[in-house]
Amino acid sequence: MIPTAKDQLIRDILVLENSITRPKDDREICFTFHQVIAKLLSNDGFTTILNPSPDRSNFDFMCFKENSRDRICISLQNSTESIAEERVHERVAFAFHYPYDRLIMFAPVGFTASCYRFVNITDPVKVELLTLNDLKSWTSKIEIESDFSINDYENIIKIVSKTFIEKIIEDSDFLLKIEWRDLEKMIAEIFEGLAFDVKLTPPSKDVGKDLILEINKRGITKKYLVEIKHWK
């Protein structure tokens, strides 16, 4: 089975997260972010392209919709510190001047609290401040396109396995040192990134189930019970 658009998007977000935590250069983050945001906005009918002729605004991407005057500008803020309100002010001013209807700013490290207060009162440009977790949340709300099959399960297993492989590469004693409860929490986070609603059961009296997974597919909620064995 060909992976669904949501499957591919989840993989792209994992690649983006990896490029943020272990960056090779800024171009890699720019490319992987473009892959993600273009797919997310395509669900609303937008085409996202790199700014073909960078101007004084220095917006990284521009989005347009066929037969519509709606325009979006996107600014990638790859900083090691939270983005300050002054930077958001500057981006909003340029977006209003050019003009754009909507401004998206993405910052892996996040924004200061004053940034969020400012965008709540900004008019007429609509401003969205996004972090990596926001992209994951946005993805989780996309309706899954097809029923689970054997290949779907295999894809999930591959993603979970890839995460563990990366951890073991970083530290060969990872599985020996991690406590069983921390292992359960880590696996819970992985499944959350795959768009599952996850409940981590209490440490005792879990009756053989460590995680309870739920996912809604075409209006039907499916539930899965996960038991995790961590023997040393």
Side-chain angles (χ1 to χ4, degrees):
M1 185 189 80
I2 298 175
T4 66
K6 185 166 184 176
D7 293 331
Q8 294 171 345
L9 184 52
I10 290 171
R11 293 172 190 170
D12 288 340
I13 288 180
L14 289 173
V15 172
L16 174 60
E17 185 170 21
N18 186 65
S19 67
I20 291 170
T21 55
R22 291 193 291 275
K24 295 178 181 177
D25 56 50
D26 290 343
R27 291 174 299 176
E28 180 187 19
I29 295 177
C30 182
F31 174 78
T32 53
F33 172 70
H34 182 208
Q35 295 286 99
V36 171
I37 198 67
K39 289 173 182 174
L40 287 170
L41 289 172
S42 68
N43 288 312
D44 296 326
F46 284 96
T47 298
T48 303
I49 63 172
L50 283 164
N51 192 343
S53 54
D55 43 39
R56 285 197 314 118
S57 70
N58 287 322
F59 289 121
D60 300 290
F61 309 97
M62 54 189 298
C63 313
F64 57 90
K65 185 185 294 187
E66 189 174 356
N67 300 322
S68 172
R69 299 182 66 180
D70 293 345
R71 299 176 68 206
I72 304 174
C73 55
I74 302 176
S75 183
L76 172 59
Q77 303 293 308
N78 186 25
S79 172
T80 56
E81 298 180 354
S82 296
I83 303 303
E85 182 181 346
E86 291 75 14
R87 180 60 173 168
V88 178
H89 272 274
E90 179 196 33
R91 299 287 82 199
V92 170
F94 274 115
F96 177 74
H97 173 73
Y98 270 83
Y100 289 96
D101 310 290
R102 181 175 164 193
L103 165 65
I104 295 176
M105 295 182 67
F106 173 69
V109 178
F111 301 84
T112 62
S114 61
C115 291
Y116 292 99
R117 289 194 293 268
F118 169 68
V119 299
N120 285 334
I121 60 173
T122 300
D123 189 67
V125 178
K126 180 181 179 182
V127 183
E128 297 172 59
L129 307 180
L130 302 180
T131 64
L132 186 63
N133 285 336
D134 293 321
L135 295 181
K136 291 179 179 179
S137 177
W138 189 349
T139 301
S140 70
K141 295 174 183 176
I142 297 175
E143 183 179 353
I144 295 178
E145 301 169 359
S146 61
D147 292 334
F148 272 132
S149 67
I150 296 299
N151 284 342
D152 290 309
Y153 292 119
E154 290 177 349
N155 288 334
I156 290 173
I157 291 170
K158 286 178 182 177
I159 293 172
V160 174
S161 299
K162 179 178 180 293
T163 302
F164 276 103
I165 290 170
E166 290 176 349
K167 292 291 185 182
I168 293 169
I169 289 173
E170 293 175 3
D171 181 359
S172 59
D173 293 329
F174 167 72
L175 289 177
L176 294 176
K177 293 189 294 187
I178 191 170
E179 294 297 326
W180 66 271
R181 191 61 174 172
D182 292 330
L183 179 64
E184 291 178 357
K185 291 178 180 178
M186 177 183 173
I187 294 176
E189 289 181 3
I190 294 172
F191 277 110
E192 285 177 347
L194 293 169
F196 284 90
D197 290 326
V198 181
K199 178 182 178 182
L200 183 64
T201 60
S204 60
K205 299 181 180 179
D206 59 19
V207 197
K209 55 183 182 294
D210 301 303
L211 304 178
I212 301 174
L213 312 179
E214 289 189 359
I215 195 164
N216 188 284
K217 296 174 59 61
R218 300 186 182 278
I220 300 175
T221 299
K222 295 190 176 184
K223 180 182 290 187
Y224 303 88
L225 305 180
V226 179
E227 183 176 5
I228 301 168
K229 296 296 185 183
H230 183 224
W231 294 331
K232 295 185 179 181

